[in-house]
Amino acid sequence: MPGDSRMHRLSPEAKLVAVVAVVVVIAMTPRRETVAFALYALGAWAIIATTKIGLLTYLKRLSVIIPFVMFALIVPFIGGGESVYVLGVSLSVDGLWATWNILAKAGLGATMSIALSATTPVPELLHGMTRLKVPRLLVAIIAFMLRYIDVLVEQLGRMRRSMVARGHDPRWLWQVKPIASSAGALFVRSYERGERVHQAMLARGYTGVMPTVSEQRASTKEWLAVLLCPFGAALVLTVAVV
Amino acid sequence: MSASSISVRELGFRYPGEHHDALRGLSIDVNAGERVAVLGPNGSGKTTFVMHLNGLLATQSGEVRIGDTPVVESNLVEIRRRIGAVFQDADDQLFMSSVREDVAFGPANLGVSGAELYELVERTLEQVGAAGYGDRNPHHLSGGEKRRVAIATVLSMDPDVLILDEPTSGLDPAGRRELIDLLSSLTQTQLIVTHDLPLALQLCDRSVIVSDGRVVADGPTPELLANVDLLAEHRLELPLGFDPSRL
Ligand SMILES: Nc1ncnc2c1ncn2[C@@H]1O[C@H](COP(=O)(O)OP(=O)(O)O)[C@@H](O)[C@H]1O
Ligand SMILES: [Mg+2]
């Protein structure tokens, strides 16, 4: 993980808990509390600024929410109830609020996750989860998924290239059938990979329990600093609702 | 660092549901500290054989001993500590999310932890020429780097025996040369499964040829490689223009 900001040095488990707590507070916020959302956004962007990842990187990573955005944009056209006319098109008021709700919450949630992932290497995040007493097996499963997703994508790429080399050109959605059927082959290969990885683990003395590698724990000071974020958000929410 | 002998007597094995024996009475003795190449065509049973040495495949008939210790269920913890197996595909060997964790995995299972573990990992990475790689993602290493880190993952357990399954497959010439340098610097008993006949000649005084689940030839590597008929019979080929007598 390139970069070294204050955020990078905070302990991963503290950051993880803070992000989850902030996201929960955001998710609980009634959609019409626009001022609260504005304050959350200011806070989230301030955090992003401290990570020093740069606007372009931030926007690029934020693009993961595009599928949700697409879905959200449809809602005002199909929603029922009271409607308003915009440029002669009838839009559902409820639908518009629903769109706003999805956009605001997905955008804020993604922003917090970006702040976390930009400043915490995957292994540290996994160690943080272990220290938070997330079951070892679950952490191991997540770790393997992350470790082998690249290998799988590469394998799929190789299969695609070999199909292209044999004259198939899957450029359009309705041409994906060969790719879809190769998903079966990919599954078998993943299964075999799983077997071989398990053997490699056994060969190095694995007995069913993932060993812990790092023992460093978050200090109380770190916890306090990091938990200011969800407390701040909760305060905003309380004031807004009351 | 110590070394152990290997003794394999009349090993037989058939995969469940198959109609053909993968191993048919394979026997071999390797002295402590010896480096032996295991040659043979695809499907001859080389991988099946080496998977018996650390009990990943349970013996169906015959016997395997590492030093004086028979490879049986009740000894597996000790056997797996003493045998370092480097698998054919380094991506199978490097399953953690950082090089450090991968090299630490074996010793951590043996109970090493804290600063001692950290030191051990750093020392081992330095030994394989990968000092400073600890925080890297194994997936993003080159083929040669992956192979050397894969070797580090077993060296960190201080094994007596190293087993390498096709260690040069997929390596470029520079990666291959670095691997040869590394292997020749190690004092453990080594069993190197390979198709790479020049590698066998460079690293191992002695070679065996495995064919159809048995050892069919066992002798000094230069002699085996000079026997053109023997090589041809077992689908082994020297690179074009390679003359073993001139090494
Ligand atoms: N998991 C398996 N299940 C069934 N048959 C196998 C399996 N692995 C290998 N074989 C068969 O056992 C024989 C020996 O294979 P292997 O030990 O992989 O040979 P080598 O490593 O020399 O290429 C081959 O005929 C192969 O098809
Ligand atoms: Mg093999």
Side-chain angles (χ1 to χ4, degrees):
Chain A
M1 192 76 29
D4 182 34
S5 68
R6 244 213 181 84
M7 282 288 278
H8 283 85
R9 287 188 299 268
L10 280 175
S11 93
E13 64 262 41
K15 279 187 277 189
L16 191 62
V17 168
V19 165
V20 171
V22 167
V23 169
V24 168
V25 173
I26 291 171
M28 284 180 356
T29 307
R31 58 198 189 181
R32 295 191 189 230
E33 303 297 345
T34 46
V35 178
F37 282 109
L39 290 173
Y40 295 156
L42 283 180
W45 288 330
I47 291 169
I48 286 288
T50 66
T51 67
K52 303 191 181 131
I53 56 169
L55 186 62
L56 201 65
T57 316
Y58 167 63
L59 291 177
K60 243 191 242 160
R61 297 195 183 166
L62 194 61
S63 66
V64 295
I65 66 166
I66 284 176
F68 298 97
V69 175
M70 306 285 251
F71 170 73
L73 290 179
I74 302 170
V75 184
F77 295 97
I78 57 177
E82 199 185 324
S83 56
V84 289
Y85 284 87
V86 178
L87 301 171
V89 183
S90 157
L91 296 175
S92 149
V93 172
D94 235 21
L96 284 171
W97 276 113
T99 303
W100 155 252
N101 193 35
I102 296 171
L103 289 188
K105 289 179 180 175
L108 287 168
T111 301
M112 293 307 292
S113 315
I114 292 166
L116 176 65
S117 64
T119 59
T120 322
V122 170
E124 276 192 31
L125 205 57
L126 295 167
H127 288 152
M129 291 170 72
T130 310
R131 288 193 292 268
L132 289 170
K133 304 276 183 273
V134 175
R136 297 259 178 102
L137 186 63
L138 191 64
V139 178
I141 290 171
I142 296 172
F144 287 144
M145 267 170 46
L146 294 171
R147 167 66 181 84
Y148 286 102
I149 193 98
D150 290 343
V151 178
L152 276 180
V153 167
E154 224 166 67
Q155 225 158 42
L156 191 63
R158 271 203 297 275
M159 280 153 84
R160 204 192 93 98
R161 276 193 294 283
S162 80
M163 274 182 230
V164 171
R166 281 175 278 159
H168 179 66
D169 184 8
R171 202 169 296 176
W172 305 102
L173 203 55
W174 52 86
Q175 291 176 329
V176 300
K177 193 160 170 282
I179 289 277
S181 55
S182 66
L186 193 65
F187 175 79
V188 171
R189 287 191 196 178
S190 318
Y191 174 77
E192 286 170 352
R193 159 96 55 196
E195 291 271 284
R196 293 199 307 268
V197 169
H198 185 234
Q199 285 178 329
M201 294 170 76
L202 290 178
R204 266 145 68 202
Y206 178 68
T207 52
V209 185
M210 291 301 277
T212 37
V213 175
S214 111
E215 296 290 351
Q216 238 168 8
R217 296 186 156 275
S219 66
T220 319
K221 221 170 94 190
E222 272 181 302
W223 277 113
L224 288 178
V226 159
L227 290 178
L228 274 181
C229 301
F231 283 134
L235 189 67
V236 168
L237 174 61
T238 319
V239 171
V241 175
V242 176
Chain B
M1 210 184 279
S2 53
S4 288
S5 60
I6 304 171
S7 150
V8 178
R9 286 277 82 79
E10 291 292 319
L11 196 58
F13 188 82
R14 176 180 290 194
Y15 284 96
E18 296 289 312
H19 301 289
H20 184 82
D21 288 346
L23 298 179
R24 306 191 305 145
L26 186 145
S27 298
I28 182 174
D29 281 294
V30 179
N31 294 325
E34 203 177 6
R35 206 185 287 130
V36 177
V38 178
L39 313 174
N42 274 332
S44 58
K46 304 182 298 294
T47 298
T48 307
F49 157 52
V50 295
M51 300 251 281
H52 279 82
L53 297 177
N54 57 0
L56 285 179
L57 291 175
T59 311
Q60 291 173 352
S61 67
E63 190 193 35
V64 181
R65 279 173 181 274
I66 305 300
D68 294 327
T69 314
V71 179
V72 291
E73 184 72 34
S74 55
N75 293 334
L76 283 189
V77 172
E78 187 203 331
I79 291 291
R80 286 177 182 166
R81 189 199 67 70
R82 289 171 55 190
I83 299 234
V86 179
F87 292 81
Q88 218 162 323
D89 184 346
D91 267 320
D92 297 340
Q93 187 105 20
L94 306 175
F95 43 76
M96 300 295 276
S97 32
S98 71
V99 166
R100 171 168 297 110
E101 288 172 281
D102 260 316
V103 179
F105 185 86
N109 280 326
L110 299 174
V112 185
S113 66
E116 193 191 346
L117 183 57
Y118 188 89
E119 294 279 303
L120 175 62
V121 169
E122 296 302 305
R123 222 179 321 124
T124 314
L125 283 175
E126 196 178 315
Q127 189 185 3
V128 302
Y133 280 42
D135 291 319
R136 309 250 312 251
N137 178 339
H139 182 66
H140 296 148
L141 302 176
S142 76
E145 291 168 337
K146 271 188 195 171
R147 193 73 57 169
R148 279 180 288 132
V149 172
I151 293 173
T153 67
V154 303
L155 285 182
S156 61
M157 300 179 77
D158 190 20
D160 305 340
V161 176
L162 281 179
I163 295 163
L164 300 113
D165 201 349
E166 313 219 359
T168 52
S169 66
L171 295 193
D172 60 17
R176 185 172 172 282
R177 186 175 37 73
E178 285 163 0
L179 182 87
I180 291 176
D181 290 345
L182 172 61
L183 292 182
S184 50
S185 76
L186 300 173
T187 57
Q188 284 93 347
T189 310
Q190 288 178 38
L191 218 49
I192 304 175
V193 173
T194 189
H195 291 293
D196 184 342
L197 303 188
L199 175 85
L201 196 58
Q202 259 173 295
L203 276 176
C204 308
D205 293 334
R206 175 183 164 205
S207 292
V208 298
I209 296 178
V210 172
S211 190
D212 200 13
R214 263 186 304 214
V215 172
V216 293
D218 185 342
T221 309
E223 269 174 41
L224 290 193
L225 297 198
N227 189 339
V228 184
D229 295 333
L230 178 72
L231 295 186
E233 191 186 339
H234 301 292
R235 303 172 46 81
L236 293 167
E237 267 178 38
L238 285 162
L240 207 60
F242 187 90
D243 182 359
S245 63
R246 275 195 299 162
L247 248 170

